[in-house]
Amino acid sequence: MTPAARLQAAIEILDHVLTGEPAEKALTSWGRRSRFAGSKDRAAVRDHVFTALRCLRSHAALGGARSGRGLILGALREAGQDPDEVFTGQGHAPAPLSGAERSLPKAPEGPEALDIPEWLWPEFSSSLGSNAEAAAHAMRKRAPVHLRVNRAKVSLRQAQESLAAEGIVTTPHPAAETALEITEGARKLRNAKAYLEGLVELQDAASQAVVAQLPLNDGMKVLDYCAGGGGKSLAMAARAKIRLFAHDADPRRMKDLPGRAARAGARVSLLEGAELERSGPYDLVLCDVPCSGSGSWRRAPEGKWRLTRENLQELHRIQAEILRKAARLATEGGTLAYATCSMLDGENTVQVQGFIQEYPEWTLAAEQSWQVQDGTDGFYVAVLTRAKGGC
Ligand SMILES: C[S@@+](CC[C@H](N)C(=O)[O-])C[C@H]1O[C@@H](n2cnc3c(N)ncnc32)[C@H](O)[C@@H]1O
């Protein structure tokens, strides 16, 4: 495919995404229809689509329309490329620009230029303070690829050597002792021996740092209350010889966890429904709650535009309810850890303060947050301990 044909493919895919189709699904359908596309074409088209989604507001403004063509036109204008060189109508290139498309729109400003939804900007900027603009800028770029080294199996250096032998160059990431950042060869990871043998897992460095904050010791009984695919379950299992249990309101999300655990040399018991109530109490309960995902919008940029004020309020309600339910499963003197991949105070500090006010037997032992402009996903964790004798 020519560069212009790749952009035309991105235009068509974006038009589907803008009608509500998930980006991954739209890319897969295009891939099936486009057997002629090689792996480099697919990677390039994917990059165009995800760049457009990360920068949806500003590129739509620069391109004069919230459409596939508008977004690609806006991207070219931002990159300082002459759109007439791409919109030629020749071969499989996009059709030539219309008169209306040719007129240069006003440059975007404020939250529009920063690609943050207008309604969210007040909360985003008050949560991030003087870092708000830097964080918004960082979210317009592609996320780095981080690995967690399974220290139960291998040292950081050994993992790096094994990856390097297959052309994957890494460097240690300062956010967590287990973290590596891939600087070259990320696309080779899925077939690399170190990955297939469970020496490394894909996991953002801040997600690893969250687990590093947890007071885990050998012999502890631990529950991952919102386990999902089990990224944090596996990170906890690698840190200490714990008795690990995993639960999720949607058990299908844990379907890959037993296989991943086996690969990592870990053991985890999955709990569903009434099993959960019978299984406690636990020394530590981790609630990695559902959230806006604002800390990982570089990876999943559609979330930034699909989130509404109403969804966010509903998430606040769910988060508070999970905290209440999970707290009941902790032992006296036990620990409750609350984590989000969000940078919004309403989902983080405000949620934890509200819980402590309602349940004063819990006290805040530690709290930390990570922000995207520092080179990781945005994350938050609060570690709470329960006074002995509390209910
Ligand atoms: C942020 S994700 C978890 C990610 C996972 N811990 C990891 O590190 O890979 C949140 C999970 O919470 C689950 N969830 C949503 N509502 C829940 C509830 N009321 N109780 C338990 N889990 C819930 C979702 O199904 C989702 O899998």
Side-chain angles (χ1 to χ4, degrees):
M1 291 173 79
T2 62
R6 289 171 175 173
L7 286 165
Q8 175 58 30
I11 286 173
E12 289 163 23
I13 294 163
L14 285 164
D15 281 335
H16 284 281
V17 177
L18 291 167
T19 60
E21 188 170 343
E24 289 297 349
K25 191 161 171 249
L27 278 160
T28 306
S29 310
W30 171 80
R32 286 210 190 98
R33 293 195 303 276
S34 313
R35 297 283 172 209
F36 54 85
S39 62
K40 287 197 175 135
D41 296 321
R42 286 163 201 265
V45 170
R46 186 185 177 81
D47 277 353
H48 291 318
V49 167
F50 274 86
T51 300
L53 294 173
R54 279 185 212 106
C55 303
L56 187 87
R57 258 194 101 181
S58 63
H59 286 184
L62 283 170
R66 200 180 257 231
S67 64
R69 278 177 72 84
L71 291 172
I72 295 302
L73 178 56
L76 294 171
R77 282 186 175 141
E78 182 176 273
Q81 218 181 317
D82 180 359
D84 283 319
E85 287 174 4
V86 171
F87 286 71
T88 61
Q90 284 163 18
H92 297 282
L97 295 178
S98 66
E101 286 175 324
R102 238 168 243 293
S103 61
L104 269 182
K106 189 168 140 302
E109 290 175 357
E112 185 176 53
L114 293 168
D115 285 299
I116 300 293
E118 199 67 33
W119 69 268
L120 186 61
W121 179 249
E123 172 157 6
F124 188 88
S125 55
S126 73
S127 299
L128 284 135
S130 59
N131 292 328
E133 290 203 7
H137 274 300
M139 288 200 293
R140 300 181 77 241
K141 304 266 159 47
R142 185 209 279 239
V145 184
H146 294 163
L147 300 173
R148 178 175 58 77
V149 176
N150 183 353
R151 298 270 290 270
K153 285 194 161 189
V154 77
S155 71
L156 221 64
R157 165 74 47 210
Q158 287 166 326
Q160 282 190 284
E161 284 169 3
S162 170
L163 291 162
E166 300 192 56
I168 302 165
V169 184
T170 56
T171 179
H173 195 287
E177 285 181 358
T178 48
L180 293 175
E181 178 161 334
I182 301 187
T183 53
E184 236 180 277
R187 293 197 204 281
K188 298 180 188 152
L189 182 71
R190 299 267 179 200
N191 296 317
K193 199 164 159 255
Y195 180 75
L196 297 171
E197 293 182 354
L199 308 185
V200 295
E201 275 281 347
L202 274 165
Q203 190 174 43
D204 183 78
S207 188
Q208 301 176 45
V210 163
V211 173
Q213 281 285 333
L214 306 180
L216 290 166
N217 292 307
D218 287 354
M220 276 172 75
K221 187 174 171 188
V222 175
L223 172 64
D224 189 356
Y225 189 85
C226 303
K232 297 204 182 47
S233 289
L234 298 182
M236 290 194 288
R239 265 202 54 204
K241 292 189 180 67
I242 53 175
R243 285 178 292 149
L244 179 59
F245 296 78
H247 164 263
D248 196 284
D250 180 357
R252 287 169 304 179
R253 300 189 72 139
M254 300 190 290
K255 72 177 186 333
D256 296 335
L257 181 48
R260 289 178 75 193
R263 206 156 53 85
R267 285 183 59 187
V268 52
S269 308
L270 306 192
L271 299 172
E272 283 190 38
E275 287 172 333
L276 177 66
E277 293 301 326
R278 287 198 297 268
S279 67
Y282 293 90
D283 301 306
L284 186 149
V285 181
L286 169 64
C287 307
D288 185 21
V289 296
C291 68
S292 62
S294 61
S296 54
W297 279 341
R298 309 191 265 198
R299 297 180 199 283
E302 292 158 281
K304 183 155 75 167
W305 311 112
R306 299 224 161 115
L307 184 72
T308 62
R309 209 185 286 278
E310 293 71 33
N311 299 149
L312 188 56
Q313 276 166 4
E314 176 62 3
L315 283 164
H316 291 160
R317 191 193 63 70
I318 293 170
Q319 290 159 355
E321 186 181 296
I322 289 177
L323 263 175
R324 275 187 220 110
K325 286 189 174 163
R328 292 206 290 266
L329 295 167
T331 53
E332 276 189 21
T335 299
L336 183 62
Y338 174 85
T340 69
C341 58
S342 174
M343 299 184 294
L344 303 176
D345 283 347
E347 300 185 275
N348 297 339
T349 46
V350 172
Q351 199 62 264
V352 169
Q353 288 309 324
F355 174 77
I356 293 171
Q357 268 177 16
E358 200 178 336
Y359 299 96
E361 68 272 24
W362 286 94
T363 50
L364 185 61
E367 188 179 36
Q368 197 175 339
S369 56
W370 294 263
Q371 296 178 353
V372 282
Q373 74 279 6
D374 298 326
T376 64
D377 280 358
F379 259 95
Y380 168 82
V381 68
V383 179
L384 301 149
T385 49
R386 178 190 230 155
K388 285 207 164 106
C391 56

